[in-house]
Amino acid sequence: MRIDLHTHSTASDGTDTPAELMRNAAAAGLDVVALTDHDSARGHAEAIAALADLDRDLTLVTGAELSCRLDGVGLHMLAYLFDPFEPEFLRERELVRDDRVPRARAMVTRLQELGVPITWEQVARIAGDASLGRPHIATALVELGVVATVSDAFTSEWLGNGGRAYAEKHEFDPFEAIRLVKAAGGVTVFAHPQAVKRGAVVPDSAVERLAAAGLDGIEVDHTDHDAPTRARLRGQAADLGLLVTGSSDYHGSRKSVELGACTTDPEIYGEITRRASGAFPVPGAGGRAQGLS
Ligand code: AMP
Ligand code: ZN
Ligand code: FE
Ligand code: FE
């Protein structure tokens, strides 16, 4: 069974619509895929609707990737199988999502001040109704020929953390995120905890504190982690009793990684579904959710 628990659609900064993502996940031979857009569950309905038309079984795990900040360091928390209508988490999620708009406007203004001929209309066209992120602005910079690739915009010169055109956004306190997700019946997994090329990461002691606060797992197998890092994280997970997941963090054509590039052990997936009470995995064309015992 092939299980990929971290993907992005056009509901955030991926390039596949939620329906296209389900079709591509089935074509990639996945049995289970999680949709985890940044700070948003708005892609879920379209993904669920698309499952019925697939010619292959694919189970959808609904989720989100929450933008958090701890002691000044940004981190991402994956949330799975929460009740999307639970009012407190819904309100906080939408607050974080909606604050991405003024923050993106601030980054566009900074770029204009740096002499870049970018417009808000251009960014709005690229983002559509997505949860707005730096990759949308980076795409505009690629269109303008300012940088060659989306990744090249994530430097101190442009949109990288603390960069010339960077602006902060409102983010969750990760302890509050764990509490909100649990109260909505969901499960939390710390995404790519050692993705050092994206910027500063939190120390191991932070993972211990999050584990003590009810964190369920850490994403170990991720293309931003090299082999020694994965080995060290596996050891940390064993010490702290955390589940270990693996995922692609697929973003469609905005990133080179393919669906299923890293995967999660079926036993771990089963444990995630057992711990969750906010939502069930959604079965695909075959009508029975995969991997549930
Ligand atoms: P934001 O949520 O708007 O702050 O943007 C962060 C997102 O940008 C991440 O979730 C990644 O999808 C993407 N990202 C971060 N660092 C890089 C990088 N070095 N190259 C390409 N994409 C990146
Ligand atoms: Zn992203
Ligand atoms: Fe992330
Ligand atoms: Fe992600």
Side-chain angles (χ1 to χ4, degrees), residues 102-166:
R103 178 258 196 162
R105 280 187 177 272
M107 289 194 281
V108 168
T109 300
R110 280 175 205 188
L111 287 166
Q112 289 168 341
E113 286 164 3
L114 290 167
V116 176
I118 191 171
T119 63
W120 175 250
E121 288 66 34
Q122 183 189 9
V123 172
R125 167 179 56 76
I126 291 165
D129 59 1
S131 176
L132 231 158
R134 281 181 281 170
H136 298 115
I137 301 174
T139 299
L141 294 178
V142 172
E143 282 184 5
L144 292 165
V146 173
V147 292
T149 68
V150 165
S151 212
D152 290 339
F154 284 83
T155 62
S156 57
E157 203 181 347
W158 304 115
L159 302 172
N161 293 343
R164 292 190 301 170
Y166 174 76

Side-chain angles (χ1 to χ4, degrees), residues 68-127:
C68 304
R69 184 167 295 268
L70 180 60
D71 302 332
V73 177
L75 66 95
H76 288 173
M77 186 72 72
L78 292 160
Y80 298 117
L81 299 172
F82 53 83
D83 171 1
F85 302 111
E86 190 283 315
E88 194 186 6
F89 181 35
L90 174 59
R91 186 177 63 238
E92 293 299 316
R93 199 166 64 237
E94 293 281 293
L95 270 178
V96 173
R97 179 193 183 279
D98 293 348
D99 187 61
R100 287 168 161 277
V101 176
R103 178 258 196 162
R105 280 187 177 272
M107 289 194 281
V108 168
T109 300
R110 280 175 205 188
L111 287 166
Q112 289 168 341
E113 286 164 3
L114 290 167
V116 176
I118 191 171
T119 63
W120 175 250
E121 288 66 34
Q122 183 189 9
V123 172
R125 167 179 56 76
I126 291 165

